[in-house]
Amino acid sequence: MLTPAEVESSVVAQKIGRTCFQQGRLRNEAASVALINQVETNLARRASPTDVAASQRKFANEQVKVEHCRNFEMLALQNQNQIAQANANRIAQAAEDQANAARTANWQRQLQAQQAIYQPRTTQCQYYKWGNMTSCSSF
């Protein structure tokens, strides 16, 4: 659950983002819309509807200024950069995990090959009654 301060902050961000978007004051709409969606999803999942409604009523009469739109857009760009960095880190980690798995598989193949070379061969011998002869073969 979000704290009351986090709910208020999110509601204000939601109001600023929506207002600036509707007024066409956002130059980077993709980043801004992504942040609006993230804030709204966070409110829906982690905040009490009663707290959200109370915060919306509290800030209903507040006017959104051009400087608020600029600040929101800057936050949206920072958020977009953080998401991109997190995605890049996940991709790098996945590549590293895949390389480690390939190295481990290669090492296991080499180990099995070495064990096959040094593994003693079993010999099977058969004794024939007639002529006291023995026949042996290796496997």
Side-chain angles (χ1 to χ4, degrees):
M1 292 298 286
L2 295 175
T3 65
E6 289 171 327
V7 171
E8 284 186 3
S9 176
S10 296
V11 166
V12 169
Q14 179 186 34
K15 178 177 178 161
I16 291 171
R18 282 184 171 191
T19 303
C20 294
F21 180 77
Q22 290 169 351
Q23 293 175 355
R25 292 185 182 170
L26 300 172
R27 291 173 296 204
N28 191 329
E29 287 185 4
S32 299
V33 168
L35 181 57
I36 293 167
N37 289 339
Q38 184 177 344
V39 167
E40 289 177 349
T41 300
N42 199 28
L43 281 171
R45 289 183 182 167
R46 299 181 57 216
S48 159
T50 308
D51 293 345
V52 172
S55 291
Q56 287 172 336
R57 282 190 303 277
K58 180 177 178 180
F59 296 105
N61 295 327
E62 293 293 323
Q63 296 298 314
V64 176
K65 300 175 184 170
V66 174
E67 64 192 56
H68 295 138
C69 294
R70 287 190 200 121
N71 291 339
F72 182 85
E73 191 166 36
M74 189 175 307
L75 284 174
L77 290 171
Q78 289 173 353
N79 183 60
Q80 186 179 40
N81 288 339
Q82 289 172 348
I83 290 171
Q85 184 62 47
N87 288 339
N89 290 345
R90 275 194 296 277
I91 290 169
Q93 185 62 47
E96 185 178 339
D97 292 347
Q98 189 175 14
N100 285 339
R103 279 193 290 275
T104 300
N106 188 38
W107 176 80
Q108 287 174 336
R109 280 191 299 275
Q110 289 176 349
L111 181 62
Q112 288 171 349
Q114 287 176 350
Q115 287 174 340
I117 292 170
Y118 296 113
Q119 188 173 18
R121 302 218 181 251
T122 57
T123 304
Q124 199 172 41
C125 296
Q126 196 171 18
Y127 179 74
Y128 297 99
K129 286 184 185 178
W130 46 270
N132 291 330
M133 296 182 71
T134 306
S135 171
C136 296
S137 58
S138 295
F139 294 89

